[in-house]
Amino acid sequence: VSTEPNEASPLGYSRSKWVAENIIDAFHRRVSSPSLSPQTNANNKNHNDNTSSPTFAIPPTLTILRIGQLTSDTTAGIWNTSEAWPLMLSTAPTLHALPDLGTQPLDWLPVDIAAAAVLEIAESMKHIPAKTVADAEPGCPVLHILNPATTPTWSDLLTCIRTASPALGVEVLEAREWVRRLEGFEGELPAKRLVGLWRGSFGEGEGKGDGRGVKEGEVGDGRIEFGMERAREMSGVMRGVGALDGGFLVRMWRWVEGLAVAEGN
């Protein structure tokens, strides 16, 4: 768990997660500390024995789960309408364009798979023996629930959309140009409320981006590799997570397209 707030992105959303993790980690350390634990103090008062090491049990259920980018479910393609990605995709029927984000991996995790993994991990935690203070980890355990796949890519998704909906005539625009088209659209579009986010992500006005969100000085696609060994140990679902297939992309797109039409985008 990071103790440096600047390691979180400037967005309040990201920093709120940093705060939440540190609260949980602080509580974990408190109940794990012989000098701070209420149970330890009680044991010392009852037995008047300050020489023996406390051996009270620590509940093994306190764990931080870091969830990666979620996407639609695997059966109906239904996605959270307030997420940035479906909002971006929903502009295609109106703007007849989407941004070029190159080979950015679609390392998205279907929400129903994520939910199943969380339930499996929660159930697994029930069967972990309680630890004594001497055996306890110094910090709160952290598990990563995400999709490590590097394929398909955003470019693959654009190809899928243009093949599935040729009548839309979707152009692939340089990302900054797509933002400008969105800003210039005079009608109502839910995606317009995220213009500021995308302008910053794509380097608009800074002269430091390449138009796809990659800042000067970043290496490759800027991806950070997260350890998933512990999550896989505790969840068979996580051991089976793999790349999104073409059928999934089509189902997801059909739902986004239908939502956009229903909302008048």
Side-chain angles (χ1 to χ4, degrees):
V1 175
S2 168
T3 57
E4 294 295 330
N6 289 334
E7 291 183 0
S9 81
L11 294 176
Y13 174 74
S14 300
R15 296 205 167 187
S16 69
K17 289 187 175 183
W18 180 91
V19 170
E21 284 194 0
N22 275 268
I23 291 173
I24 295 171
D25 186 58
F27 179 75
H28 175 89
R29 291 175 185 274
R30 181 176 180 83
V31 299
S32 303
S33 171
S35 62
L36 295 178
S37 170
Q39 187 168 347
T40 301
N41 293 335
N43 289 341
N44 288 338
K45 288 180 180 179
N46 291 336
H47 300 289
N48 293 318
D49 182 5
N50 294 324
T51 60
S52 61
S53 299
T55 58
F56 64 88
I58 298 172
T61 54
L62 195 61
T63 303
I64 293 171
L65 302 184
R66 290 177 177 162
I67 311 296
Q69 174 62 56
L70 298 179
T71 184
S72 61
D73 73 298
T74 55
T75 56
I78 299 173
W79 204 342
N80 180 355
T81 57
S82 64
E83 286 271 358
W85 289 115
L87 282 174
M88 177 182 285
L89 293 170
S90 72
T91 65
T94 301
L95 301 182
H96 304 288
L98 286 169
D100 178 13
L101 304 182
T103 57
Q104 177 167 321
L106 300 188
D107 49 358
W108 303 341
L109 185 64
V111 65
D112 51 337
I113 292 179
V118 170
L119 290 174
E120 279 191 344
I121 290 170
E123 184 63 28
S124 296
M125 295 297 291
K126 294 180 182 179
H127 306 292
I128 296 178
K131 297 179 179 181
T132 63
V133 171
D135 298 328
E137 299 182 36
C140 187
V142 177
L143 276 65
H144 296 112
I145 312 300
L146 49 84
N147 188 344
T150 57
T151 58
T153 66
W154 179 260
S155 179
D156 296 327
L157 176 58
L158 292 183
T159 299
C160 172
I161 290 172
R162 298 174 82 181
T163 300
S165 304
L168 293 181
V170 176
E171 297 179 73
V172 179
L173 300 179
E174 191 268 342
R176 295 187 188 114
E177 178 59 32
W178 176 81
V179 171
R180 286 191 284 268
R181 182 175 293 194
L182 177 60
E183 284 184 295
F185 182 74
E186 296 182 356
E188 290 294 326
L189 275 178
K192 291 181 75 172
R193 64 176 179 262
L194 294 184
V195 163
L197 172 67
W198 290 321
R199 190 190 300 116
S201 297
F202 302 144
E204 184 71 17
E206 297 177 5
K208 296 182 180 180
D210 70 348
R212 295 180 298 165
V214 180
K215 301 295 184 181
E216 184 178 20
E218 284 189 354
V219 178
D221 59 10
R223 281 169 57 88
I224 298 173
E225 186 174 352
F226 294 94
M228 296 184 60
E229 294 79 9
R230 300 182 75 170
R232 287 172 174 149
E233 287 175 3
M234 301 180 70
S235 169
V237 170
M238 289 307 300
R239 290 193 291 273
V241 169
L244 304 175
D245 60 28
F248 176 89
L249 296 183
V250 170
R251 284 192 298 276
M252 180 268 292
W253 164 246
R254 289 302 187 198
W255 180 81
V256 171
E257 182 183 31
L259 179 67
V261 171
E263 292 182 345
N265 287 0

